[in-house]
Amino acid sequence: MNVTKKINVPQLIFKYSKRLVSEANFTIQEPFRLHRLEKGPLTKVTLTKQDALTYYKKMSTIRRVENTSANLYMEKVIRGFCHLYAGQEAVAVGIQATMRPDDCLITAYRAHGWVLLMGGSPEQILGELCGRVIGCSRGKGGSMHTYAKNFFGGNGIVGAQIPMGTGIGLMMKLTGKPNVSFALYGDGAANQGQVFEAYNLAKLWNLPVIFVCENNKYGMGTSAERASAVPEFYTRGDYIPGIQVDGMDVLATREASLFAIAHCISNRGPILLEMVTYRYYGHSMSDPGTSYRSRNEVQDIRKNKDPITLFKDKILGANLVSEEEIKQLDNETKKIIEEATAKVRAAPVPGPEELVADVYKKPVTPNVRGVNPWRTLKHIQITKPK
């Protein structure tokens, strides 16, 4: 007797490809914590495919440049100070995504990612770290002194960039420019007296300054809880409104920055954003970063909270991008950084004749006094690489 076998449809295997969408909606998971604000940034946001690819590429480029920098430092090609930004990429990329052409930004010495975002190339930042003439400051500034258009550094003195960023905001107000000044600092610098002086003047004069505390949990070797009586840095401006933001979520940092810009340009004065993030390397390359935190802690953050991995999973899960597109971007980024590294290794270092070059943009006198008052050094003007 013939028996017809019943087939369950779910057992059939269909070959199909996921249909990609041009935009997707997301809900920001970590809530924004507010200080002196009734409403905060949007928590339900839209992301386009193009923006998804752009954010992913920028974060991946920063990460690869920083990992390359770590390797060059261990090879002793990079010497001196070197503070890496790996782990904090979502903060910079989210903020930069909201900046208008004439908005300005100033930060501390953990600034390599910002050079890339503000117009510098991988070979310019790697060249600067390696002391080569193709660096953004011709190899004479190093890790702590890097600049680009509307980017005022890269500053070595802890917290000193905050009064300067406030001054940029004052310039914008006096000239009537409808722009903002982003002033970034770390949780360690948050206890500097000059930071509170800058808060006071910014609020007193109603300046369009966005103070951004990148709370990566540790100062030079001390946790924020051990160094700060009030580790809720978004409240530290007192009379200045503040928002605590998940700094590992690029969409959260983007929305918080958009909210902050709208706040400032509506003549409501300064605002403070605390970006809760994490650094993977030590305070600097001379710090192993394991005496005040455990290796398990770092590995846990890398595994469960990495900003690049989280964002990749998010955009893949929403069918905004495909695995092939991600792989192609990764390969492109890898090739760009490898080529830049090769150029940097082959580039010359600045000669002794450049010792007093670029000290002034327009020198009043052609000669500069050296250590010997009877022998002067001649100022020369160097054309920086484009």
Side-chain angles (χ1 to χ4, degrees):
M1 184 174 65
N2 292 329
V3 178
T4 303
K5 186 177 180 180
K6 188 176 180 180
I7 301 175
N8 291 326
V9 174
Q11 292 178 344
L12 297 178
I13 299 174
F14 296 95
K15 289 186 178 181
Y16 69 98
S17 60
K18 291 183 178 180
R19 183 178 179 182
L20 299 180
V21 296
S22 60
E23 66 178 34
N25 297 319
F26 297 95
T27 299
I28 293 172
Q29 299 300 317
E30 291 289 334
F32 296 107
R33 298 177 65 185
L34 308 180
H35 171 67
R36 288 185 176 268
L37 288 168
E38 294 182 0
K39 294 177 63 178
L42 296 175
T43 56
K44 295 187 182 299
V45 301
T46 300
L47 179 66
T48 66
K49 177 184 178 72
Q50 184 56 53
D51 283 345
L53 292 170
T54 298
Y55 300 166
Y56 179 80
K57 184 174 183 178
K58 287 180 177 180
M59 287 195 290
S60 297
T61 300
I62 295 172
R63 176 70 58 85
R64 197 171 286 275
V65 164
E66 295 297 60
N67 289 342
T68 299
S69 299
N71 293 333
L72 290 169
Y73 188 93
M74 288 185 283
E75 292 178 34
K76 296 185 178 181
V77 179
I78 294 176
R79 296 175 178 270
F81 295 103
C82 186
H83 303 82
L84 303 182
Y85 202 66
Q88 301 181 214
E89 296 90 351
V91 176
V93 173
I95 291 174
Q96 193 268 337
T98 69
M99 294 176 69
R100 289 84 48 80
D102 290 328
D103 290 336
C104 296
L105 187 139
I106 189 168
T107 188
Y109 35 75
R110 207 176 301 281
H112 310 157
W114 275 110
V115 177
L116 295 167
L117 295 176
M118 298 298 284
S121 66
E123 61 196 61
Q124 284 180 314
I125 185 59
L126 289 172
E128 189 60 33
L129 298 180
C130 294
R132 304 300 204 268
V133 295
I134 63 173
C136 55
S137 296
R138 286 189 66 81
K140 295 181 285 184
S143 182
M144 288 195 181
H145 303 283
T146 50
Y147 307 93
K149 183 180 180 182
N150 291 335
F151 174 60
F152 291 78
N155 295 270
I157 300 176
V158 177
Q161 73 276 12
I162 305 307
M164 294 170 66
T166 304
I168 296 169
L170 176 61
M171 176 273 293
M172 289 171 173
K173 181 157 188 176
L174 293 177
T175 56
K177 297 182 69 174
N179 293 99
V180 300
S181 169
F182 284 91
L184 280 66
Y185 56 102
D187 51 282
N191 297 318
Q192 290 283 321
Q194 57 197 324
V195 174
F196 294 92
E197 294 176 32
Y199 288 165
N200 181 63
L201 290 177
K203 184 61 178 177
L204 182 66
W205 295 336
N206 221 36
L207 302 181
V209 182
I210 300 173
F211 297 105
V212 181
C213 176
E214 293 187 273
N215 177 10
N216 60 23
K217 308 293 180 69
Y218 297 94
M220 194 178 287
T222 307
S223 67
E225 286 74 17
R226 291 184 61 205
S228 303
V230 181
E232 291 78 22
F233 297 102
Y234 71 104
T235 68
R236 298 277 291 271
D238 189 11
Y239 32 76
I240 296 177
I243 308 173
Q244 188 182 74
V245 186
D246 179 6
M248 306 300 265
D249 182 349
V250 69
L251 296 182
T253 62
R254 183 190 73 174
E255 293 307 312
S257 300
L258 283 171
F259 182 92
I261 290 174
H263 177 93
C264 287
I265 64 176
S266 61
N267 200 34
R268 286 186 283 175
I271 190 169
L272 199 164
L273 304 179
E274 177 192 352
M275 303 288 191
V276 182
T277 183
Y278 199 83
R279 58 170 165 79
Y280 291 163
Y281 290 93
H283 171 73
S284 69
M285 282 301 294
S286 60
D287 166 30
T290 54
S291 61
Y292 49 86
R293 61 181 184 178
S294 68
R295 295 182 187 276
N296 288 338
E297 178 184 303
V298 180
Q299 291 170 358
D300 181 65
I301 297 292
R302 282 182 177 270
K303 181 179 178 181
N304 299 308
K305 287 283 289 181
D306 182 78
I308 301 175
T309 302
L310 288 176
F311 186 65
K312 180 176 74 172
D313 292 344
K314 188 176 294 185
I315 59 180
L316 283 172
N319 293 339
L320 267 178
V321 301
S322 65
E323 290 278 6
E324 291 72 23
E325 288 173 314
I326 291 292
K327 185 176 181 179
Q328 182 180 352
L329 280 180
D330 287 339
N331 289 335
E332 289 175 0
T333 303
K334 180 181 179 182
K335 183 179 179 183
I336 289 171
I337 305 307
E338 287 178 347
E339 290 177 351
T341 305
K343 289 181 181 178
V344 167
R345 289 180 182 276
V349 299
E353 71 280 358
E354 291 194 31
L355 184 62
V356 292
D358 302 321
V359 176
Y360 302 102
K361 185 176 181 180
K362 294 181 179 179
V364 177
T365 174
N367 295 323
V368 178
R369 179 178 173 179
V371 293
N372 186 333
W374 293 278
R375 293 182 62 188
T376 59
L377 301 171
K378 187 172 179 60
H379 177 95
I380 58 174
Q381 192 73 34
I382 299 294
T383 302
K384 295 181 180 179
K386 295 182 179 180

